[in-house]
Amino acid sequence: MARKKIIAGNWKMNMTPSQAVELVNTLKPLVVNDEVDVVFCVPAIDIIPAMEAARGTNIQIGAENMYFEEKGAFTGEIAPGMLTEVGVKYVIIGHSERREYFAETDETVNRKVLKAFEHGITPIICCGESLTQREQGITIDWIRQQIKIAFLNVTAEQAASAVIAYEPIWAIGTGKVATTEQAQEVCKAIRDCIAEIYDEATAAAIRIQYGGSVSASSAPELFAQPDIDGGLVGGASLKPDFGAIVNYK
Ligand code: PEP
């Protein structure tokens, strides 16, 4: 069965609650496309107002992060049960900005992935290499290691429902998009790695996004690749361009 594309926006630390409502209202007529799952991953404080603004549309509101404990003395963190109570179904895990600025590691990513599945939330698991790693020729080895650790103790059934976002760090927010060949090569390597860990059926089911300066002009070619099942979009998800990305065909 063909995989349904999934195109997710990552708002990062942008939009106050009132701005979030305004943006959802602007984008909702533009992102109508039944062939694609459309997710807006928004700051925690925007989740409830964005959901209210998106009610009755095809837009799913997701989170940008989540902690791996149920509750307790973890000041500033957001628990999985807090997300599920308001209806969140997707959460970005291990974005490179979280790894770089908030000390997330492959191990904490794995703990968050397991916790998300425990709560029935689909993780959008980010991986990606730095420019130095690409120049050293170790991109595939690096990504395979990130994937293997992220999926430790994850069952095949859970893995089949996961989303992986391949985001070369050098392409995030830089306007520098990976070439279609580079993006396809790594997304295929990720799918092969999932097949090695699990089996062909799991690899065929899992959805793999490309992320890194996706725009309305680069989306059609990227999303037409056999192993690219959509995108994780930062900057362009805050603009009407996101409608053109969702309707890339
Ligand atoms: C991202 O934040 O996941 C991202 C890919 O950002 P941008 O599209 O702005 O490069």
Side-chain angles (χ1 to χ4, degrees):
M1 209 178 72
R3 291 180 294 273
K4 191 174 184 188
K5 295 264 194 273
I6 174 163
I7 300 179
N10 171 16
W11 287 11
K12 312 196 186 197
M13 198 174 74
N14 294 295
M15 302 291 138
T16 65
S18 63
Q19 290 169 335
V21 170
E22 211 175 302
L23 183 58
V24 171
N25 284 334
T26 303
L27 291 179
K28 64 187 175 188
L30 307 177
V31 297
V32 177
N33 183 348
D34 288 343
E35 288 176 25
V36 171
D37 285 331
V38 179
V39 187
F40 291 8
C41 295
V42 307
I45 199 165
D46 295 342
I47 290 174
I48 293 172
M51 267 186 180
E52 280 163 10
R55 189 163 295 142
T57 73
N58 60 324
I59 303 167
Q60 289 272 352
I61 302 298
E64 296 178 11
N65 183 32
M66 185 200 86
Y67 200 49
F68 52 71
E69 296 287 355
E70 293 293 329
K71 63 176 185 172
F74 304 104
T75 303
E77 291 296 320
I78 185 152
M82 296 171 185
L83 298 177
T84 53
E85 186 176 305
V86 298
V88 167
K89 299 204 171 58
Y90 293 93
V91 61
I92 299 174
I93 300 289
H95 190 279
S96 60
E97 288 154 14
R98 300 244 19 122
R99 294 178 190 253
E100 183 178 352
Y101 306 127
F102 304 98
E104 292 211 5
T105 63
D106 290 337
E107 286 70 27
T108 60
V109 167
N110 175 241
R111 293 182 73 174
K112 290 182 176 193
V113 167
L114 291 168
K115 189 51 87 175
F117 280 125
E118 205 182 295
H119 284 263
I121 308 175
T122 301
I124 299 175
I125 306 161
C126 300
C127 60
E129 82 287 3
S130 65
L131 189 56
T132 311
Q133 289 166 328
R134 178 157 284 274
E135 285 169 354
Q136 287 172 333
I138 59 168
T139 297
I140 304 286
D141 290 342
W142 176 258
I143 303 285
R144 282 172 56 86
Q145 174 167 313
Q146 287 187 319
I147 295 298
K148 284 183 181 173
I149 300 174
F151 281 85
L152 273 177
N153 300 317
V154 172
T155 68
E157 196 188 339
Q158 289 170 335
S161 72
V163 178
I164 296 173
Y166 165 55
E167 300 204 306
I169 298 168
W170 48 271
I172 298 179
T174 57
K176 223 174 164 184
V177 195
T179 65
T180 310
E181 292 72 27
Q182 287 171 328
Q184 163 58 24
E185 182 196 18
V186 180
C187 290
K188 180 175 186 311
I190 292 170
R191 201 175 300 287
D192 291 345
C193 184
I194 294 293
E196 276 172 41
I197 303 171
Y198 300 99
D199 48 47
E200 290 296 336
T202 308
I206 199 167
R207 293 187 289 179
I208 304 174
Q209 300 173 313
Y210 166 78
S213 300
V214 172
S215 64
S217 60
S218 60
E221 202 179 299
L222 284 164
F223 299 170
Q225 299 309 302
D227 290 294
I228 302 181
D229 305 314
L232 182 56
V233 183
S237 72
L238 301 170
K239 302 185 214 148
D241 289 30
F242 196 58
I245 293 173
V246 167
N247 289 289
Y248 63 96
K249 268 200 217 159

